Amino acid sequence: MSFTLQLGEAAKDFSLPATDGQTYSLASFEGAEALVVFFTCNHCPYVLGSDELTRKTAERFMPKGVAFVGINANSATTKPEDSFEHMVARMSEHRFPWVYLRDETQEVAYAYGALRTPHFFVFDRERKLVYTGRGVDNPKDAGRVTVSDLENALEDLLAGRPVRVPVTNPIGCNIKWEGRDAHWMPPEACDLVL
């Protein structure tokens, strides 16, 4: 069995607190035509290098009915700057257009099979997975980006076309799993083959 959610599989439900003081689940976004769930954090240079590109993508597609949900599952023991308190401060400073959720137990990250930050999952109207992987081809350096796989996937989905490249390897820092070395990945996570 694969670690990462496979194409065609249903989005996994969650109930997680957000930096805005609310708690969100899949049902919170039931009106959306498409749903982007992405695992992110406060410190990773690949996240910091691409957050403004993700903002532009969100601002472009949210008016078209796409909801964006960022989830931070990183261990605050391993990376104290990924604590909920720091998440709130980061959203206050940057005012990103997505909701920013805390997966303290890491159960949601396991359920989705999140590998890195950032790691994107795009779901259709029925909440079936149509794309998983990277947002862009060079998330650490926005000036060197040549492809936005996330935007391509959303364009194809909203146009009713099959997603042209439905699976890519996410590029970023490992999820920081509680009680593990910062570079550890679950053994079953090493099954992503393109």
Side-chain angles (χ1 to χ4, degrees), residues 126-172:
E126 287 70 47
R127 299 303 179 254
K128 302 295 186 187
L129 186 68
V130 298
Y131 174 78
T132 181
R134 67 192 189 186
V136 295
D137 63 341
N138 201 325
K140 203 172 183 180
D141 184 353
R144 296 177 60 196
V145 168
T146 62
V147 176
S148 174
D149 294 283
L150 177 60
E151 288 203 355
N152 288 344
L154 290 170
E155 286 172 1
D156 289 341
L157 176 60
L158 295 180
R161 300 185 298 259
V163 174
R164 63 193 89 167
V165 180
V167 179
T168 60
N169 278 310
I171 302 170

Short mmCIF file of all heavy atoms in Angstrom, two decimals, residues 126-172:
data_model
loop_
_atom_site.label_atom_id
_atom_site.label_comp_id
_atom_site.label_asym_id
_atom_site.label_seq_id
_atom_site.Cartn_x
_atom_site.Cartn_y
_atom_site.Cartn_z
N GLU A 126 -15.98 16.28 -6.41
CA GLU A 126 -16.36 15.11 -5.61
C GLU A 126 -15.30 14.77 -4.56
O GLU A 126 -15.41 13.76 -3.87
CB GLU A 126 -16.59 13.90 -6.52
CG GLU A 126 -17.87 13.96 -7.34
CD GLU A 126 -17.81 15.02 -8.44
OE1 GLU A 126 -16.78 15.06 -9.16
OE2 GLU A 126 -18.76 15.81 -8.57
N ARG A 127 -14.27 15.61 -4.47
CA ARG A 127 -13.15 15.45 -3.54
C ARG A 127 -12.35 14.18 -3.79
O ARG A 127 -11.88 13.52 -2.87
CB ARG A 127 -13.64 15.52 -2.08
CG ARG A 127 -14.30 16.84 -1.71
CD ARG A 127 -13.39 18.04 -1.96
NE ARG A 127 -14.05 19.28 -1.63
CZ ARG A 127 -14.52 20.16 -2.55
NH1 ARG A 127 -14.37 19.92 -3.84
NH2 ARG A 127 -15.13 21.26 -2.17
N LYS A 128 -12.17 13.91 -5.08
CA LYS A 128 -11.26 12.86 -5.52
C LYS A 128 -9.94 13.51 -5.93
O LYS A 128 -9.94 14.58 -6.57
CB LYS A 128 -11.83 12.07 -6.70
CG LYS A 128 -13.18 11.43 -6.41
CD LYS A 128 -13.10 10.36 -5.34
CE LYS A 128 -14.44 9.66 -5.19
NZ LYS A 128 -14.44 8.72 -4.06
N LEU A 129 -8.84 12.85 -5.62
CA LEU A 129 -7.53 13.42 -5.90
C LEU A 129 -7.23 13.41 -7.40
O LEU A 129 -7.29 12.36 -8.04
CB LEU A 129 -6.45 12.63 -5.16
CG LEU A 129 -5.03 13.20 -5.25
CD1 LEU A 129 -4.92 14.52 -4.50
CD2 LEU A 129 -4.01 12.20 -4.72
N VAL A 130 -6.89 14.59 -7.93
CA VAL A 130 -6.54 14.70 -9.36
C VAL A 130 -5.10 15.15 -9.57
O VAL A 130 -4.58 15.04 -10.68
CB VAL A 130 -7.50 15.65 -10.12
CG1 VAL A 130 -8.93 15.11 -10.08
CG2 VAL A 130 -7.44 17.07 -9.57
N TYR A 131 -4.46 15.66 -8.52
CA TYR A 131 -3.05 16.07 -8.63
C TYR A 131 -2.40 15.98 -7.26
O TYR A 131 -2.99 16.35 -6.25
CB TYR A 131 -2.91 17.51 -9.14
CG TYR A 131 -1.47 17.97 -9.10
CD1 TYR A 131 -0.57 17.56 -10.09
CD2 TYR A 131 -0.98 18.74 -8.05
CE1 TYR A 131 0.77 17.91 -10.03
CE2 TYR A 131 0.36 19.10 -7.98
CZ TYR A 131 1.23 18.68 -8.97
OH TYR A 131 2.56 19.01 -8.92
N THR A 132 -1.16 15.52 -7.24
CA THR A 132 -0.36 15.56 -6.01
C THR A 132 1.09 15.82 -6.37
O THR A 132 1.59 15.30 -7.37
CB THR A 132 -0.49 14.25 -5.19
OG1 THR A 132 0.30 14.37 -4.00
CG2 THR A 132 -0.05 13.04 -5.98
N GLY A 133 1.77 16.62 -5.55
CA GLY A 133 3.19 16.88 -5.78
C GLY A 133 3.58 18.32 -5.48
O GLY A 133 3.05 18.95 -4.56
N ARG A 134 4.50 18.81 -6.29
CA ARG A 134 5.06 20.15 -6.09
C ARG A 134 4.10 21.23 -6.59
O ARG A 134 3.21 20.97 -7.41
CB ARG A 134 6.39 20.26 -6.83
CG ARG A 134 6.23 20.20 -8.35
CD ARG A 134 7.54 20.03 -9.07
NE ARG A 134 7.36 20.19 -10.52
CZ ARG A 134 8.30 20.00 -11.42
NH1 ARG A 134 9.51 19.62 -11.04
NH2 ARG A 134 8.06 20.20 -12.70
N GLY A 135 4.32 22.45 -6.10
CA GLY A 135 3.58 23.58 -6.64
C GLY A 135 4.25 24.10 -7.89
O GLY A 135 3.62 24.29 -8.93
N VAL A 136 5.56 24.31 -7.79
CA VAL A 136 6.37 24.82 -8.90
C VAL A 136 7.66 24.01 -8.98
O VAL A 136 8.01 23.27 -8.05
CB VAL A 136 6.68 26.32 -8.73
CG1 VAL A 136 5.41 27.16 -8.80
CG2 VAL A 136 7.44 26.58 -7.42
N ASP A 137 8.40 24.19 -10.07
CA ASP A 137 9.61 23.40 -10.28
C ASP A 137 10.84 23.92 -9.54
O ASP A 137 11.85 23.22 -9.47
CB ASP A 137 9.90 23.26 -11.78
CG ASP A 137 10.20 24.60 -12.45
OD1 ASP A 137 9.83 25.66 -11.89
OD2 ASP A 137 10.78 24.59 -13.56
N ASN A 138 10.77 25.13 -8.99
CA ASN A 138 11.91 25.66 -8.24
C ASN A 138 11.39 26.49 -7.06
O ASN A 138 11.51 27.72 -7.05
CB ASN A 138 12.80 26.51 -9.15
CG ASN A 138 14.20 26.65 -8.58
OD1 ASN A 138 14.37 26.73 -7.37
ND2 ASN A 138 15.20 26.68 -9.44
N PRO A 139 10.82 25.81 -6.05
CA PRO A 139 10.18 26.56 -4.96
C PRO A 139 11.13 27.36 -4.09
O PRO A 139 10.70 28.30 -3.42
CB PRO A 139 9.49 25.46 -4.15
CG PRO A 139 10.22 24.21 -4.48
CD PRO A 139 10.68 24.36 -5.90
N LYS A 140 12.41 27.03 -4.12
CA LYS A 140 13.36 27.76 -3.27
C LYS A 140 13.74 29.10 -3.86
O LYS A 140 14.15 30.01 -3.15
CB LYS A 140 14.61 26.89 -3.07
CG LYS A 140 15.41 27.23 -1.84
CD LYS A 140 16.49 26.18 -1.65
CE LYS A 140 17.28 26.43 -0.38
NZ LYS A 140 18.33 25.41 -0.20
N ASP A 141 13.59 29.24 -5.18
CA ASP A 141 14.01 30.47 -5.87
C ASP A 141 12.95 30.84 -6.90
O ASP A 141 12.97 30.36 -8.04
CB ASP A 141 15.36 30.24 -6.54
CG ASP A 141 15.91 31.50 -7.20
OD1 ASP A 141 15.19 32.52 -7.26
OD2 ASP A 141 17.06 31.46 -7.68
N ALA A 142 12.02 31.70 -6.51
CA ALA A 142 10.90 32.05 -7.37
C ALA A 142 11.34 32.62 -8.71
O ALA A 142 10.66 32.46 -9.72
CB ALA A 142 9.99 33.06 -6.66
N GLY A 143 12.51 33.26 -8.74
CA GLY A 143 13.01 33.84 -9.98
C GLY A 143 13.43 32.81 -11.01
O GLY A 143 13.61 33.16 -12.18
N ARG A 144 13.58 31.56 -10.59
CA ARG A 144 14.01 30.51 -11.51
C ARG A 144 12.89 29.54 -11.86
O ARG A 144 13.13 28.51 -12.49
CB ARG A 144 15.20 29.76 -10.90
CG ARG A 144 16.43 30.64 -10.72
CD ARG A 144 17.57 29.90 -10.07
NE ARG A 144 17.97 28.74 -10.87
CZ ARG A 144 18.72 27.75 -10.41
NH1 ARG A 144 19.14 27.75 -9.16
NH2 ARG A 144 19.05 26.74 -11.20
N VAL A 145 11.68 29.85 -11.46
CA VAL A 145 10.54 28.96 -11.75
C VAL A 145 10.21 29.02 -13.24
O VAL A 145 10.11 30.09 -13.83
CB VAL A 145 9.32 29.38 -10.91
CG1 VAL A 145 8.05 28.68 -11.39
CG2 VAL A 145 9.56 29.06 -9.43
N THR A 146 10.04 27.85 -13.84
CA THR A 146 9.63 27.77 -15.25
C THR A 146 8.29 27.07 -15.42
O THR A 146 7.64 27.23 -16.45
CB THR A 146 10.68 27.02 -16.09
OG1 THR A 146 10.81 25.68 -15.60
CG2 THR A 146 12.04 27.70 -16.02
N VAL A 147 7.87 26.29 -14.42
CA VAL A 147 6.62 25.54 -14.51
C VAL A 147 5.85 25.64 -13.19
O VAL A 147 6.45 25.47 -12.13
CB VAL A 147 6.87 24.05 -14.81
CG1 VAL A 147 5.56 23.27 -14.81
CG2 VAL A 147 7.58 23.86 -16.14
N SER A 148 4.55 25.92 -13.27
CA SER A 148 3.69 25.83 -12.09
C SER A 148 2.76 24.65 -12.30
O SER A 148 1.73 24.75 -12.97
CB SER A 148 2.87 27.11 -11.88
OG SER A 148 1.97 26.91 -10.80
N ASP A 149 3.15 23.51 -11.75
CA ASP A 149 2.33 22.31 -11.88
C ASP A 149 0.98 22.48 -11.19
O ASP A 149 -0.03 21.95 -11.64
CB ASP A 149 3.07 21.10 -11.30
CG ASP A 149 4.31 20.76 -12.11
OD1 ASP A 149 4.16 20.17 -13.19
OD2 ASP A 149 5.42 21.13 -11.68
N LEU A 150 0.96 23.24 -10.11
CA LEU A 150 -0.29 23.48 -9.40
C LEU A 150 -1.26 24.28 -10.28
O LEU A 150 -2.43 23.91 -10.42
CB LEU A 150 -0.02 24.23 -8.08
CG LEU A 150 -1.24 24.61 -7.26
CD1 LEU A 150 -2.06 23.39 -6.86
CD2 LEU A 150 -0.82 25.42 -6.03
N GLU A 151 -0.79 25.35 -10.88
CA GLU A 151 -1.66 26.15 -11.75
C GLU A 151 -2.12 25.33 -12.96
O GLU A 151 -3.29 25.40 -13.35
CB GLU A 151 -0.96 27.43 -12.20
CG GLU A 151 -0.81 28.43 -11.08
CD GLU A 151 -0.65 29.86 -11.58
OE1 GLU A 151 -0.55 30.08 -12.81
OE2 GLU A 151 -0.64 30.76 -10.72
N ASN A 152 -1.20 24.56 -13.54
CA ASN A 152 -1.58 23.72 -14.69
C ASN A 152 -2.68 22.74 -14.30
O ASN A 152 -3.65 22.53 -15.05
CB ASN A 152 -0.36 22.95 -15.22
CG ASN A 152 0.62 23.85 -15.95
OD1 ASN A 152 0.30 24.97 -16.33
ND2 ASN A 152 1.82 23.35 -16.15
N ALA A 153 -2.55 22.13 -13.12
CA ALA A 153 -3.55 21.17 -12.66
C ALA A 153 -4.90 21.85 -12.46
O ALA A 153 -5.95 21.30 -12.86
CB ALA A 153 -3.08 20.51 -11.36
N LEU A 154 -4.89 23.03 -11.87
CA LEU A 154 -6.15 23.74 -11.63
C LEU A 154 -6.78 24.21 -12.93
O LEU A 154 -8.01 24.13 -13.10
CB LEU A 154 -5.92 24.91 -10.68
CG LEU A 154 -5.60 24.51 -9.23
CD1 LEU A 154 -5.15 25.72 -8.42
CD2 LEU A 154 -6.80 23.83 -8.58
N GLU A 155 -5.96 24.68 -13.86
CA GLU A 155 -6.49 25.07 -15.17
C GLU A 155 -7.17 23.89 -15.86
O GLU A 155 -8.29 24.01 -16.37
CB GLU A 155 -5.36 25.60 -16.07
CG GLU A 155 -4.87 26.98 -15.70
CD GLU A 155 -3.62 27.37 -16.48
OE1 GLU A 155 -3.15 26.58 -17.33
OE2 GLU A 155 -3.11 28.48 -16.24
N ASP A 156 -6.50 22.75 -15.87
CA ASP A 156 -7.06 21.56 -16.52
C ASP A 156 -8.34 21.12 -15.82
O ASP A 156 -9.34 20.83 -16.48
CB ASP A 156 -6.04 20.41 -16.49
CG ASP A 156 -4.86 20.66 -17.44
OD1 ASP A 156 -4.98 21.50 -18.35
OD2 ASP A 156 -3.82 20.00 -17.26
N LEU A 157 -8.31 21.08 -14.51
CA LEU A 157 -9.48 20.63 -13.75
C LEU A 157 -10.69 21.51 -14.02
O LEU A 157 -11.78 21.02 -14.32
CB LEU A 157 -9.14 20.62 -12.25
CG LEU A 157 -10.29 20.28 -11.31
CD1 LEU A 157 -10.83 18.88 -11.59
CD2 LEU A 157 -9.82 20.39 -9.86
N LEU A 158 -10.50 22.82 -13.94
CA LEU A 158 -11.63 23.74 -14.13
C LEU A 158 -12.13 23.76 -15.57
O LEU A 158 -13.29 24.10 -15.83
CB LEU A 158 -11.25 25.14 -13.67
CG LEU A 158 -10.95 25.28 -12.16
CD1 LEU A 158 -10.58 26.71 -11.82
CD2 LEU A 158 -12.14 24.82 -11.32
N ALA A 159 -11.25 23.39 -16.51
CA ALA A 159 -11.65 23.33 -17.92
C ALA A 159 -12.28 21.99 -18.28
O ALA A 159 -12.70 21.79 -19.43
CB ALA A 159 -10.44 23.60 -18.81
N GLY A 160 -12.32 21.07 -17.31
CA GLY A 160 -12.91 19.76 -17.57
C GLY A 160 -12.00 18.81 -18.31
O GLY A 160 -12.47 17.80 -18.86
N ARG A 161 -10.70 19.12 -18.32
CA ARG A 161 -9.72 18.25 -18.98
C ARG A 161 -9.02 17.37 -17.95
O ARG A 161 -8.90 17.76 -16.79
CB ARG A 161 -8.64 19.08 -19.69
CG ARG A 161 -9.13 20.02 -20.76
CD ARG A 161 -7.94 20.69 -21.46
NE ARG A 161 -7.13 21.51 -20.57
CZ ARG A 161 -7.19 22.84 -20.50
NH1 ARG A 161 -8.06 23.50 -21.26
NH2 ARG A 161 -6.39 23.51 -19.69
N PRO A 162 -8.49 16.22 -18.38
CA PRO A 162 -7.62 15.46 -17.48
C PRO A 162 -6.39 16.30 -17.15
O PRO A 162 -5.89 17.04 -18.00
CB PRO A 162 -7.22 14.23 -18.32
CG PRO A 162 -8.23 14.15 -19.42
CD PRO A 162 -8.68 15.56 -19.68
N VAL A 163 -5.91 16.20 -15.93
CA VAL A 163 -4.72 16.95 -15.54
C VAL A 163 -3.52 16.42 -16.33
O VAL A 163 -3.27 15.22 -16.36
CB VAL A 163 -4.48 16.82 -14.02
CG1 VAL A 163 -3.16 17.47 -13.62
CG2 VAL A 163 -5.64 17.47 -13.26
N ARG A 164 -2.82 17.34 -16.98
CA ARG A 164 -1.75 16.95 -17.92
C ARG A 164 -0.60 16.20 -17.24
O ARG A 164 -0.05 15.27 -17.81
CB ARG A 164 -1.24 18.16 -18.70
CG ARG A 164 -0.59 19.23 -17.83
CD ARG A 164 -0.40 20.54 -18.58
NE ARG A 164 -1.59 21.37 -18.43
CZ ARG A 164 -1.66 22.66 -18.74
NH1 ARG A 164 -0.61 23.27 -19.26
NH2 ARG A 164 -2.75 23.34 -18.54
N VAL A 165 -0.22 16.64 -16.06
CA VAL A 165 0.81 15.94 -15.28
C VAL A 165 0.25 15.77 -13.87
O VAL A 165 0.36 16.68 -13.04
CB VAL A 165 2.15 16.73 -15.25
CG1 VAL A 165 3.20 15.96 -14.44
CG2 VAL A 165 2.66 17.00 -16.66
N PRO A 166 -0.38 14.63 -13.59
CA PRO A 166 -1.11 14.50 -12.33
C PRO A 166 -0.27 14.17 -11.10
O PRO A 166 -0.73 14.34 -9.98
CB PRO A 166 -2.10 13.38 -12.61
CG PRO A 166 -1.46 12.56 -13.68
CD PRO A 166 -0.65 13.52 -14.50
N VAL A 167 0.97 13.70 -11.30
CA VAL A 167 1.84 13.34 -10.17
C VAL A 167 3.24 13.88 -10.41
O VAL A 167 3.82 13.65 -11.48
CB VAL A 167 1.92 11.81 -9.97
CG1 VAL A 167 2.84 11.48 -8.80
CG2 VAL A 167 0.55 11.20 -9.74
N THR A 168 3.75 14.62 -9.43
CA THR A 168 5.14 15.06 -9.46
C THR A 168 5.72 14.80 -8.07
O THR A 168 4.98 14.63 -7.10
CB THR A 168 5.28 16.56 -9.78
OG1 THR A 168 4.58 17.33 -8.78
CG2 THR A 168 4.73 16.89 -11.17
N ASN A 169 7.03 14.78 -8.00
CA ASN A 169 7.67 14.67 -6.68
C ASN A 169 7.64 16.02 -6.00
O ASN A 169 8.09 17.02 -6.58
CB ASN A 169 9.12 14.20 -6.83
CG ASN A 169 9.23 12.70 -7.00
OD1 ASN A 169 8.65 11.94 -6.24
ND2 ASN A 169 9.95 12.27 -8.01
N PRO A 170 7.13 16.08 -4.77
CA PRO A 170 7.19 17.36 -4.05
C PRO A 170 8.64 17.73 -3.77
O PRO A 170 9.48 16.85 -3.53
CB PRO A 170 6.42 17.07 -2.76
CG PRO A 170 6.46 15.60 -2.59
CD PRO A 170 6.54 15.00 -3.96
N ILE A 171 8.93 19.01 -3.82
CA ILE A 171 10.28 19.52 -3.58
C ILE A 171 10.24 20.38 -2.32
O ILE A 171 9.50 21.36 -2.26
CB ILE A 171 10.78 20.38 -4.77
CG1 ILE A 171 10.76 19.57 -6.07
CG2 ILE A 171 12.17 20.92 -4.49
CD1 ILE A 171 11.01 20.41 -7.32
N GLY A 172 11.02 20.00 -1.32
CA GLY A 172 11.01 20.78 -0.09
C GLY A 172 11.69 20.06 1.05
O GLY A 172 12.38 19.06 0.85
#
